[in-house]
Amino acid sequence: MTVTAEQDGVAHAAGAHAASLLLVDDDPDIREEMKSYLSANGMIVTEASDAKSALKAFSENQFDLIVLDLLLGSDNGFDILREIRQTHTTPCIMVTGQGEATDKVVGLELGADDYVVKPVNLRELLARIRALLRRSGSSGGSNVRKNAATSAELEDVGARWKFDPHRRRLSTPDGSLVPLTTAECDLLIELVAHEGNPQTREELCRRVFNRQWQPYDRSLDSIVVKLRRKLEPNPDHPMVIKTIRGKGYLFTGFPSTE
């Protein structure tokens, strides 16, 4: 078995609608243990054992979140995530092997929002699910983030980039929507809300991931890289999200097309 369970003493929030989860794992015992635990804590869990069944379930249902094992026998969880990210930004927690740093980085690059390491502690998994659902506005949580942007729409008039933090929508000067993962949008909200003021990795990690930053943690940097690819005229020489050496990151404003 690769799952460890602890008694969860936190009751499911009263009045919140049950979150719908897609659980993808090729081990039936692990799926059963995860499903039993998460269902007992107010989640509606749909199981899938391989890529085909996972993508079929995803196409036929609306899910608030995906828990995705990256090793699925002959299938690859990366392929599932890549396929889903072509059309959807559904929050995703990936399950990786102990010490598989490369898997974590690649998964985050492809659009995963968080990860847990095997053996999976179910109480930790539940806490990460609830935190991610709160950030994404699902499961009865508020879709307006505290301590972030409060205006209905933030716009750089000259460039005509538009970012609506409440609707979680970013559009380019020509009106095209820019697809953002939950983590990308959460980070952009924080950066835009503090435009012109450098933010430390510690501050951003605490507000975006709800956890303490560690020197070996590259998840924040990975999301910055992905945002730069979507925002920067030249991602190799970033001007929109600048790195402040020894401190963190600085958002200077949306790029101008003029």
Side-chain angles (χ1 to χ4, degrees), residues 142-153:
S142 172
N143 59 5
V144 179
R145 287 173 51 79
K146 297 179 180 179
N147 302 320
T150 57
S151 63
E153 184 179 85

Side-chain angles (χ1 to χ4, degrees), residues 117-138:
V117 176
K118 296 179 181 178
V120 178
N121 181 296
L122 292 180
R123 189 170 187 177
E124 177 189 358
L125 175 62
L126 178 63
R128 290 184 179 277
I129 288 173
R130 286 177 171 169
L132 191 49
L133 289 173
R134 285 195 298 271
R135 296 203 302 268
S136 66
S138 302

